[in-house]
Amino acid sequence: MRVFLEGHPMRLWYQSTLDFSEHRNYARSLAEHFRKIAGTGTEVILRGRATDGAGSLSAAEIIGSSIVYRSVVDPAFVRAVFEAEALSADAFIAASFSEPILPELRSLAVMPVVSMSEACFAAASASAPKIGLLTLNKDIVPYLEKSISLHKWKNRVSGIHLIEGGISETELDAHYAHPSPFLDRLTRGVRTAATAGAQAVIVAEGVLGMMAAANGLTDVDGIPVIDAIAATVLFARFLVDMKVSTGLMQSRAAYPLPSAAARRLLAVRAAGS
């Protein structure tokens, strides 16, 4: 069991589905936000999907096709779990509202695996009974519906709402220094969600959520706007503290750990993918 002493920070691996070479402003803003929210006792290792054979594909092309997504994103996250273990990370954050192979990652990992969707919903649920989800494009909606089903949130979600204008993550990153038009759209989206019954809102898209948090958009007409990055990092810290203090880990009845031989095989295959 790891005990955290001064000079030996908690180490969190934050894995995104995005290629940060194409989203540099977002990456810089994330790093700044980590320093603000995580504190001096926590190191957050930021990793995106490596530039590879899929580097020429846009995020929309990947998320919009189930076969492309599974071929590109799933192996990257399996590889990242092994890389996180090699660096002695204390928790692995699946930092995507698409929740790539979450049950499988929890079976594979020997550290807590944190879902961004789950962490945000926990924070939102402590704020209000009815939660609205906002996202940028229709391609993410099936992933959000999958999460609602997986986590049994149906009775707590007031609706999934699309931000007007069809904004891409690449467009957001390119205009990151001039956020007003996008935050105005987000504000209108929160109000639309409120008319459908939302009492708190999760921005289910990383770049827009980070833009909102960086510019202090935390509330619209009394409707809390959950800081997805802060909620996820702080929830990861909580789970690590629970593991250190009580031994809590993911249930092996729910998420059985592969045999040592099977894990070695997966590690070799992941390294070659």
Side-chain angles (χ1 to χ4, degrees):
M1 182 175 291
R2 190 171 177 186
V3 177
F4 300 107
L5 304 174
E6 187 175 353
H8 294 80
M10 182 186 298
R11 182 172 290 167
L12 308 177
W13 183 286
Y14 189 98
Q15 183 66 42
S16 173
T17 58
L18 293 180
D19 177 355
F20 283 126
S21 69
E22 301 293 330
H23 300 84
R24 297 181 187 276
N25 291 320
Y26 177 41
R28 281 193 291 269
S29 192
L30 281 172
E32 291 171 6
H33 205 46
F34 293 157
R35 285 190 287 271
K36 175 183 175 183
I37 62 174
T40 56
T42 304
E43 176 189 4
V44 184
I45 302 168
L46 176 62
R47 291 290 187 271
R49 181 175 48 78
T51 301
D52 50 24
S56 60
L57 297 178
S58 68
E61 287 176 297
I62 293 171
I63 203 78
S65 167
S66 177
I67 184 62
V68 175
Y69 178 90
R70 292 190 176 279
S71 298
V72 172
V73 174
D74 290 0
F77 272 63
V78 172
R79 183 168 60 247
V81 165
F82 286 114
E83 291 172 352
E85 288 181 2
L87 286 182
S88 300
D90 298 292
F92 181 92
I93 297 172
S96 172
F97 284 97
S98 60
E99 287 194 315
I101 55 170
L102 180 62
E104 290 82 357
L105 293 177
R106 284 182 168 155
S107 287
L108 175 64
V110 294
M111 68 189 91
V113 173
V114 180
S115 155
M116 176 172 270
S117 299
E118 226 172 9
C120 290
F121 201 83
S125 295
S127 177
K130 283 292 185 180
I131 316 302
L133 303 176
L134 295 178
T135 190
L136 292 177
N137 66 72
K138 61 181 176 57
D139 292 330
I140 194 67
V141 171
Y143 295 92
L144 297 176
E145 291 174 337
K146 178 197 72 174
S147 294
I148 290 169
S149 176
L150 175 66
H151 301 298
K152 311 296 189 292
W153 293 336
K154 182 178 179 181
N155 292 334
R156 298 291 300 273
V157 173
S158 59
I160 301 172
H161 305 277
L162 293 174
I163 303 293
E164 65 182 64
I167 319 162
S168 72
E169 292 169 315
T170 303
E171 181 184 1
L172 281 173
D173 192 80
H175 296 89
Y176 201 84
H178 305 283
S180 293
F182 306 107
L183 296 181
D184 288 345
R185 294 189 211 179
L186 175 55
T187 297
R188 290 194 292 272
V190 173
R191 288 176 174 145
T192 297
T195 62
Q199 299 161 321
V201 163
I202 297 169
V203 184
E205 198 289 316
V207 183
L208 185 59
M210 183 66 258
M211 182 181 282
N215 289 279
L217 181 57
T218 59
D219 181 282
V220 175
D221 304 334
I223 304 294
V225 178
I226 304 302
D227 181 337
I229 287 80
T232 304
V233 169
L234 294 176
F235 192 68
R237 286 184 54 179
F238 166 73
L239 287 185
V240 174
D241 284 340
M242 285 293 289
K243 180 184 177 185
V244 171
S245 298
T246 72
L248 179 69
M249 273 284 290
Q250 52 262 41
S251 166
R252 291 308 178 193
Y255 308 111
L257 184 71
S259 68
R263 291 186 93 251
R264 286 193 296 271
L265 175 62
L266 287 170
V268 169
R269 291 189 173 181
S273 63

